[in-house]
Amino acid sequence: MKKIKLVAFLSLMLLGGCASYTTPGGSVAIGSLADSDINALMSVQAAATFPAHIAVARIQAPGYASYRLSSFGTGRYSVVTTREVETEADFAQLGKMSQVAGIAPLNRILLPEQLDSIKSLREAAARLKADILLIYTFDTSFHAGEQQFAPLNVISLGLLKNKEVSVTTTVSAALFDVRTEYLYGLAESTAKESRNASVWSTSDAVDDLRRETEKQAFSQLIPEIEKTWSGV
């Protein structure tokens, strides 16, 4: 009986030591998705009417996945249609900006499967009769001491004892004209949270810290978008 208990105890210790967490996928360089022809970019003009309707989409790297959700679409980027860290209050605040008639998310029904440029999102926004396209992307990195974990890295949680762990998120946003792809402006915000490695004993705990950091970054992004909008 003692041997059975010892084996069971060692098995639990081994399983605990093998606990791991896969970091979420990466962000998207929004500028790389726009028209790359310089002459075309210089000739683009604003064509939105005001008060404007705004369509919103979160974009991430192709095949993006986090601990709790996955993305939609194939190509040069993907779209996350589930609001994981964004709140209704965040978007309600944006809806109160001057000369905004309404805000609506882009969902899977409107989106094409192949996503290679901003034009794909503009076409989806046009189906909503939107004037402005607001897109944003999260870039979240994980650190344990001096070690940084890239997107889709597997972190062995049992090896992080006595280290400070941190999560840093930068969320970047851009406002485009739906009709012409004219870029009205950019906004960005960064948040960081740190904990002792003891809180990283489970994947749920790690992901809670990730979501807390991303939620804070997005909340801080809202006033930055408001500043950009004031110049639109």
Side-chain angles (χ1 to χ4, degrees):
M1 179 63 70
K2 290 183 178 180
K3 288 184 177 181
I4 293 175
K5 289 183 177 180
L6 178 60
V7 171
F9 174 75
L10 291 175
S11 297
L12 289 173
M13 291 293 289
L14 181 61
L15 289 173
C18 291
S20 63
Y21 175 83
T22 301
T23 59
S27 60
V28 177
I30 295 176
S32 67
L33 304 177
D35 193 326
S36 59
D37 185 279
I38 301 300
N39 291 326
L41 288 174
M42 295 298 291
S43 64
V44 167
Q45 298 295 321
T49 58
F50 295 88
H53 289 83
I54 301 177
V56 183
R58 173 186 172 183
I59 64 174
Q60 297 292 153
Y64 174 89
S66 69
Y67 184 64
R68 289 180 168 89
L69 57 77
S70 59
S71 59
F72 171 81
T74 57
R76 296 176 63 195
Y77 64 96
S78 60
V79 176
V80 177
T81 56
T82 301
R83 291 182 180 177
E84 185 182 28
V85 297
E86 311 92 319
T87 67
E88 289 298 327
D90 292 328
F91 290 101
Q93 186 174 339
L94 292 177
K96 294 178 181 178
M97 296 188 300
S98 176
Q99 294 295 305
V100 171
I103 293 183
L106 294 180
N107 58 37
R108 297 191 180 198
I109 296 176
L110 298 171
L111 293 168
E113 179 70 29
Q114 188 69 23
L115 299 167
D116 290 317
S117 69
I118 291 175
K119 185 178 180 180
S120 300
L121 299 178
R122 289 169 50 218
E123 289 174 345
R127 293 187 176 95
L128 286 176
K129 305 299 182 184
D131 304 287
I132 304 290
L133 172 65
L134 168 61
I135 58 177
Y136 60 95
T137 184
F138 288 94
D139 182 9
T140 299
S141 61
F142 295 73
H143 293 78
E146 298 299 320
Q147 185 176 4
Q148 179 176 349
F149 298 93
L152 301 179
N153 273 187
V154 177
I155 303 175
S156 298
L157 304 182
L159 302 178
L160 299 178
K161 294 180 180 179
N162 303 318
K163 291 184 179 180
E164 180 183 73
V165 295
S166 64
V167 179
T168 303
T169 293
T170 296
V171 55
S172 305
L175 290 159
F176 288 95
D177 192 298
V178 170
R179 294 173 178 83
T180 67
E181 204 171 297
Y182 176 85
L183 176 62
Y184 288 101
L186 306 170
E188 191 171 88
S189 175
T190 298
K192 179 179 180 180
E193 292 290 338
S194 300
R195 298 284 191 279
N196 184 276
S198 61
V199 305
W200 280 31
S201 57
T202 67
S203 296
D204 284 325
V206 178
D207 204 59
D208 285 343
L209 183 58
R210 189 268 305 174
R211 293 201 300 167
E212 179 182 339
T213 307
E214 290 184 353
K215 183 177 181 179
Q216 181 182 342
F218 189 78
S219 178
Q220 294 173 179
L221 178 69
I222 302 303
E224 297 303 317
I225 293 176
E226 290 176 323
K227 291 177 184 178
T228 300
W229 182 258
S230 66
V232 172

